[in-house]
Amino acid sequence: MDYTLALLFSLLHILSLCSAAPLSVDVVKMKSKVKLGAEQLVVKLSKDFQVPAGLTLTPPADDLYGPSSIVTVLEGYNSLICDSLNGVAQVKTEISSLTGYLNQWRQGHCSEQRPKPSVPGPLQELQSRKEFIHTVSIEALMRVKEFLSVLLKNLDQLETC
C-alpha cells in the first residue's frame, strides 16, 4: 500500500509538471531579442567607454520590475547621455531601439497597462546633477552597462507585465 501511495504521488507530481503553462513563443522570441541587444550593448560599452579612475557607482543598480520599469530606466539614462561625447551616437540609437522594442512589446502583450513607474533612486540622483554634462554622461553610460548586466542575469523579469 505504501508503494502505491508513493507511486500515485510521483505520477501526480509528473502530471503537474507536464501541465504547467509553457512560455509562449512570443515571450521566448522577445527575451532572446532583448538578450541579444543587451549583450551587444554591454560589449560595446565595455570596449568603448572605460570607467574613469575614482568613479564608483553608488547606490547599486536600479531595480527591475518588468518591461515598464526597464523602459523607464533605460530611457532616463539615455536622455542624460550627452550627444557630444565621441562614439556615443550609436550607443544611444541602440538603447532607443531596445527600449522602443520593449515598449511596443509591452503595449501589445500586457493587457493591463500600468501607470508609468516612478524614477528609481540612482537615475533620479543623476538627473539632479545635469549641470555636470560630461560626468553625468559617463556615469549614465556606466549605469546602463550595469543595468543591462543585471537584466541579463534576470531575464525572467521581462515576463512580468
Side-chain angles (χ1 to χ4, degrees), residues 5-20:
L5 194 55
L7 182 63
L8 183 61
F9 279 122
S10 296
L11 287 173
L12 214 70
H13 179 71
I14 291 170
L15 185 60
S16 70
L17 290 176
C18 293
S19 64

Side-chain angles (χ1 to χ4, degrees), residues 31-67:
K31 285 172 70 174
S32 68
K33 187 168 184 168
V34 169
K35 180 181 179 192
L36 179 64
E39 287 172 339
Q40 289 173 341
L41 266 167
V42 167
V43 167
K44 184 174 289 211
L45 289 168
S46 296
K47 187 178 78 170
D48 296 344
F49 300 97
Q50 300 302 316
V51 178
L55 178 66
T56 57
L57 298 179
T58 56
D62 301 279
D63 293 324
L64 302 170
Y65 297 113

Side-chain angles (χ1 to χ4, degrees), residues 128-152:
S128 70
R129 297 187 292 157
K130 283 184 186 175
E131 66 273 10
F132 306 106
I133 296 170
H134 284 71
T135 304
V136 167
S137 293
I138 295 295
E139 187 171 337
L141 286 165
M142 296 303 103
R143 289 223 174 256
V144 166
K145 180 178 139 187
E146 176 189 50
F147 185 74
L148 290 174
S149 296
V150 171
L151 174 60
L152 286 168

Side-chain angles (χ1 to χ4, degrees), residues 41-153:
L41 266 167
V42 167
V43 167
K44 184 174 289 211
L45 289 168
S46 296
K47 187 178 78 170
D48 296 344
F49 300 97
Q50 300 302 316
V51 178
L55 178 66
T56 57
L57 298 179
T58 56
D62 301 279
D63 293 324
L64 302 170
Y65 297 113
S68 186
S69 72
I70 294 167
V71 167
T72 298
V73 169
L74 289 175
E75 284 178 343
Y77 284 128
N78 204 20
S79 71
L80 294 173
I81 300 169
C82 178
D83 292 328
S84 66
L85 284 177
N86 287 336
V88 82
Q90 182 64 34
V91 169
K92 288 186 72 159
T93 300
E94 289 180 33
I95 293 170
S96 292
S97 176
L98 185 60
T99 56
Y101 174 75
L102 264 175
N103 203 29
Q104 182 181 13
W105 189 91
R106 181 184 58 84
Q107 290 174 352
H109 291 83
C110 295
S111 57
E112 182 181 309
Q113 297 297 322
R114 288 183 168 179
K116 194 169 184 172
S118 63
V119 177
L123 176 56
Q124 192 172 31
E125 181 187 327
L126 254 187
Q127 287 174 334
S128 70
R129 297 187 292 157
K130 283 184 186 175
E131 66 273 10
F132 306 106
I133 296 170
H134 284 71
T135 304
V136 167
S137 293
I138 295 295
E139 187 171 337
L141 286 165
M142 296 303 103
R143 289 223 174 256
V144 166
K145 180 178 139 187
E146 176 189 50
F147 185 74
L148 290 174
S149 296
V150 171
L151 174 60
L152 286 168
K153 293 175 187 166

